[in-house]
Amino acid sequence: MTTINLLMNSLPGVSSSDAEEYQPPIWKSYLYQLQQEAPRPKRIICPREVENRPKYYGREFHGIISREQADELLGGVEGAYILRESQRQPGCYTLALRFGNQTLNYRLFHDGKHFVGEKRFESIHDLVTDGLITLYIETKAAEYISKMTTNPIYEHIGYATLLREKVSRKLSKSKNEPRKTNVTHEEHTAVDKISSLVRRAALTHNDNHFNYEKTHNFKVHTFRGPHWCEYCANFMWGLIAQGVRCSDCGLNVHKQCSKHVPNDCQPDLKRIKKVYCCDLTTLVKAHNTQRPMVVDICIREIEARGLKSEGLYRVSGFTEHIEDVKMAFDRDGEKADISANVYPDINIITGALKLYFRDLPIPVITYDTYSKFIDAAKISNADERLEAVHEVLMLLPPAHYETLRYLMIHLKKVTMNEKDNFMNAENLGIVFGPTLMRPPEDSTLTTLHDMRYQKLIVQILIENEDVLF
């Protein structure tokens, strides 16, 4: 049975006939074979006890010797290495490594871990092993590596992570539905089948799929055991930090391949640890909603029982209770109970909503658009100012735009109850200006200077929500 059969059959609701429709990506073995062929490190031990040897080096340290002496000690053996102290710069250490019929010298550093470049290693042996692998592969396959990204297996929403974690659920939901006719030409590769099947499954996920564009959140990652890039299908070589992983969706790719991956991250709920302080677009894509569910749930509750409450959004609720609401959303998500039975004071709910906006790593009105909104607010002609605000709104990411639109419709309803709650658009602008928009630079002076313009922007958005959105 193939690896993909085992993978698919291990998932609930996926039959063997479903699994047989899938073919595994054609993982390319060339770079893996090269890693297996790379020279192995050979430590050349110093036969004498070296005085003042750093405690983090072993017997491969030979003390103060010249490059010529190091070269002689290595004896022309491929992969052989020693450590030495520089004659010219005492206290500076060098790794002398034999590779490609020559001796290579690298300045060696230690800050708790050993390194000569970006990668940090627990031991000199690991550093040399990784270095030999990298040198060998990049020497033997330089041209191959330069062309890795020209013919990727990756297609939009067709990467292997999505296949593993999401498509099986679509199949289990739709396996009783009539099958669409499959086009099966012999020249179609296994990659084509995977990509088309993933795309079809993703598009038929449900009718409420909100396809907001989202960049991947790539971070350097160390993979345990052999791993292949899900963009180019090539082996990810080295001992540590072989590539990058998207912390939101789990996509694994080479660092150089990450520059070519489309902005199509599909965040996995298992990787989203909390609701507050989470990137807005990441949260809505993970939950497959138009807006953050915190916004929807809080606004529903406020409109159901709080629109006439005096000082709505201006009056603060108890901080401890607001934190309780935050914890409830982080813990229970959309099942969080914020009803009047639990929180009778509506100001706790308005406080929790404002806190959500303040805690966003990128504000609803993004850093990229902040200065443009401030410039628009400074325009004296009302019509021109409104047009300028509308133009900047179009620059917001879709999820941010939709969230702002929904909030402004709600705040307009609040102003329609001004005779009871005493909150007009200007008052709400004072409250929400610094909550929805913050200057990119963390400057108190800038914030104080821009407060009146922040207020004015929110006031304009509320008063003209039917025109602007």
Side-chain angles (χ1 to χ4, degrees):
M1 183 177 286
T2 65
T3 303
I4 200 73
N5 288 141
L6 290 169
L7 170 66
M8 298 305 295
N9 287 333
S10 69
L11 296 168
V14 179
S15 67
S16 59
S17 60
D18 289 326
E20 287 169 4
E21 289 191 34
Y22 289 86
Q23 298 295 327
I26 303 173
W27 300 122
K28 302 168 187 175
S29 62
Y30 176 52
L31 297 180
Y32 177 74
Q33 291 168 355
L34 287 182
Q35 175 159 314
Q36 298 302 101
E37 297 169 6
R40 299 292 185 264
K42 300 173 183 67
R43 183 173 70 146
I44 306 300
I45 294 174
C46 184
R48 59 186 173 80
E49 189 63 36
V50 180
E51 291 185 9
N52 300 319
R53 182 181 69 193
K55 61 182 180 180
Y56 40 80
Y57 294 146
R59 293 187 62 191
E60 70 275 7
F61 182 74
H62 288 248
I64 299 177
I65 60 174
S66 67
R67 287 193 174 203
E68 292 73 24
Q69 288 173 304
D71 192 40
E72 185 177 341
L73 286 169
L74 293 174
V77 178
E78 197 78 347
Y81 71 95
I82 65 168
L83 306 184
R84 65 182 180 87
E85 187 173 358
S86 172
Q87 285 183 320
R88 297 175 182 176
Q89 294 178 290
C92 294
Y93 303 99
T94 298
L95 165 66
L97 172 65
R98 192 73 185 172
F99 177 81
N101 298 319
Q102 60 180 321
T103 300
L104 306 175
N105 291 276
Y106 297 95
R107 178 78 177 273
L108 189 60
F109 301 91
H110 183 269
D111 62 356
K113 291 188 177 182
H114 304 280
F115 62 100
V116 297
E118 292 182 357
K119 293 184 178 183
R120 273 23 182 206
F121 297 86
E122 296 290 346
S123 70
I124 293 293
H125 184 272
D126 285 350
L127 184 154
V128 174
T129 303
D130 186 86
L132 287 169
I133 289 170
T134 301
L135 285 168
Y136 188 78
I137 289 179
E138 291 183 353
T139 299
K140 293 283 187 178
E143 185 177 355
Y144 181 89
I145 292 170
S146 70
K147 296 178 179 178
M148 283 195 313
T149 60
T150 58
N151 188 29
I153 63 164
Y154 186 102
E155 288 186 34
H156 187 61
I157 70 170
Y159 49 85
T161 301
L162 190 63
L163 168 67
R164 286 198 308 269
E165 299 178 356
K166 298 186 178 181
V167 174
S168 60
R169 296 197 292 271
K170 282 66 161 190
L171 277 175
S172 64
K173 289 179 182 178
S174 61
K175 63 181 179 180
N176 295 323
E177 297 175 2
R179 293 184 183 273
K180 295 181 181 179
T181 304
N182 289 325
V183 180
T184 55
H185 296 298
E186 288 184 359
E187 64 270 20
H188 280 194
T189 64
V191 172
D192 293 328
K193 292 178 183 177
I194 275 191
S195 298
S196 62
L197 210 59
V198 171
R199 183 182 296 106
R200 186 176 71 200
L203 291 176
T204 58
H205 176 41
N206 61 52
D207 294 333
N208 298 319
H209 181 72
F210 305 107
N211 193 25
Y212 294 142
E213 184 177 277
K214 181 190 178 312
T215 58
H216 289 271
N217 187 17
F218 286 121
K219 295 181 179 177
V220 175
H221 189 77
T222 293
F223 300 95
R224 304 302 177 190
H227 268 72
W228 274 257
C229 174
E230 295 175 39
Y231 182 80
C232 72
N234 281 289
F235 179 65
M236 301 168 80
W237 65 90
L239 284 191
I240 67 168
Q242 303 96 327
V244 294
R245 168 176 285 175
C246 176
S247 58
D248 294 334
C249 73
L251 180 67
N252 303 319
V253 296
H254 291 111
K255 187 176 181 180
Q256 59 265 47
C257 290
S258 68
K259 300 169 185 175
H260 301 274
V261 176
N263 295 333
D264 60 355
C265 177
Q266 301 285 345
D268 186 341
L269 268 176
K270 296 193 294 290
R271 297 176 180 276
I272 307 302
K273 304 300 183 187
K274 52 189 177 181
V275 172
Y276 278 67
C277 302
C278 176
D279 173 69
L280 194 153
T281 301
T282 299
L283 188 68
V284 298
K285 284 185 75 74
H287 287 271
N288 195 29
T289 56
Q290 278 186 293
R291 299 169 296 274
M293 40 83 163
V294 178
V295 177
D296 279 8
I297 294 171
C298 286
I299 285 179
R300 267 202 311 269
E301 191 68 24
I302 293 164
E303 291 186 355
R305 61 184 174 99
L307 285 178
K308 297 182 183 297
S309 177
E310 184 176 338
L312 189 66
Y313 286 113
R314 180 178 55 77
V315 176
S316 300
F318 286 112
T319 302
E320 288 183 7
H321 294 168
I322 291 171
E323 285 294 326
D324 286 345
V325 174
K326 173 183 175 178
M327 289 173 60
F329 277 116
D330 282 341
R331 183 183 63 246
D332 305 325
E334 60 188 14
K335 295 180 181 179
D337 185 1
I338 61 168
S339 65
N341 294 331
V342 183
Y343 301 105
D345 182 4
I346 198 62
N347 298 312
I348 294 169
I349 310 306
T350 59
L353 180 59
K354 289 187 292 183
L355 179 62
Y356 171 76
F357 290 129
R358 285 198 302 273
D359 278 356
L360 285 173
I362 299 175
V364 176
I365 292 176
T366 60
Y367 294 126
D368 290 343
T369 60
Y370 178 86
S371 61
K372 294 181 178 65
F373 273 107
I374 295 298
D375 288 343
K378 293 177 179 178
I379 297 174
S380 56
N381 182 281
D383 291 337
E384 292 178 6
R385 184 171 58 220
L386 194 63
E387 182 62 31
V389 169
H390 181 262
E391 288 179 5
V392 185
L393 277 174
M394 297 299 103
L395 301 178
L396 288 174
H400 286 245
Y401 176 90
E402 171 57 27
T403 301
L404 188 62
R405 182 192 69 82
Y406 189 74
L407 177 63
M408 291 306 118
I409 291 173
H410 163 66
L411 294 181
K412 187 67 170 286
K413 292 178 184 177
V414 173
T415 64
M416 291 168 66
N417 289 273
E418 181 187 354
K419 60 180 176 53
D420 296 305
N421 59 38
F422 302 107
M423 295 299 290
N424 57 28
E426 184 178 2
N427 293 336
L428 290 169
I430 294 171
V431 173
F432 277 95
T435 300
L436 297 177
M437 54 194 304
R438 305 190 294 272
E441 67 282 356
D442 187 16
S443 167
T444 304
L445 189 62
T446 302
T447 302
L448 290 172
H449 179 267
D450 290 350
M451 280 184 67
R452 58 176 174 158
Y453 300 116
Q454 294 172 349
K455 180 211 75 170
L456 182 57
I457 286 296
V458 175
Q459 181 179 344
I460 290 169
L461 293 175
I462 295 171
E463 291 174 343
N464 301 278
E465 59 82 17
D466 54 336
V467 175
L468 291 171
F469 295 96

